[in-house]
Amino acid sequence: MPDLAAARQAKSRIMDSVLSAVDTRHVAGIGLRQQDDGWVVRVNLREDDDNTRRKIPSEIEGVPVVVEVTGSIRAHAVSGTVLQVQPAEPSSPRHRHLRLWLAVALLVVAAGAATTLAVML
């Protein structure tokens, strides 16, 4: 059961080895994820590529490595706070509608928080 310190060290190692061995166009990011039995290093791929998968070890320094295809990832921020992470490419008209509703909901929440703050001041 790898602890957080071991996972961080493994992540540093895998960042050096993976990013130098694979076509970085396929790698969306490398991070850590906690599971029931400890921590794992997670390698996010923009697209499924067998050649890239073969170059990523299943374990490094006793820490499991999980590969997942996430697509491109783009963080959206409001006042420096990350609110959501979504695929960069629009996937369907339904998803565009969901993103629109989410944007409206975030604006309503932000407006409510600003109103509450103004009343408190």
Side-chain angles (χ1 to χ4, degrees):
M1 179 162 41
D3 63 2
L4 182 57
R8 284 181 175 157
Q9 190 171 24
K11 178 186 171 191
S12 294
R13 288 283 192 118
I14 204 164
M15 285 178 71
D16 293 339
S17 64
V18 167
L19 294 180
S20 65
V22 302
D23 184 348
T24 55
R25 291 177 298 166
H26 298 296
V27 179
I30 300 174
L32 300 175
R33 182 172 69 192
Q34 188 173 20
Q35 292 186 328
D36 294 337
D37 56 346
W39 289 86
V40 299
V41 175
R42 178 175 163 172
V43 179
N44 298 322
L45 299 180
R46 287 187 177 91
E47 56 190 44
D48 203 1
D49 179 66
D50 289 336
N51 189 38
T52 301
R53 279 186 180 266
R54 280 193 296 275
K55 293 179 180 177
I56 299 171
S58 61
E59 183 178 289
I60 188 162
E61 297 179 1
V63 178
V65 177
V66 176
V67 178
E68 294 187 24
V69 179
T70 59
S72 294
I73 296 176
R74 185 178 0 191
H76 295 269
V78 174
S79 300
T81 304
V82 175
L83 297 174
Q84 81 182 72
V85 176
Q86 70 181 32
E89 301 85 21
S91 49
S92 73
R94 179 173 179 261
H95 287 128
R96 282 191 290 274
H97 285 97
L98 291 174
R99 284 196 297 272
L100 176 62
W101 279 107
L102 180 59
V104 169
L106 289 172
L107 287 172
V108 168
V109 169
T115 302
T116 303
L117 183 59
V119 170
M120 291 174 64
L121 296 175

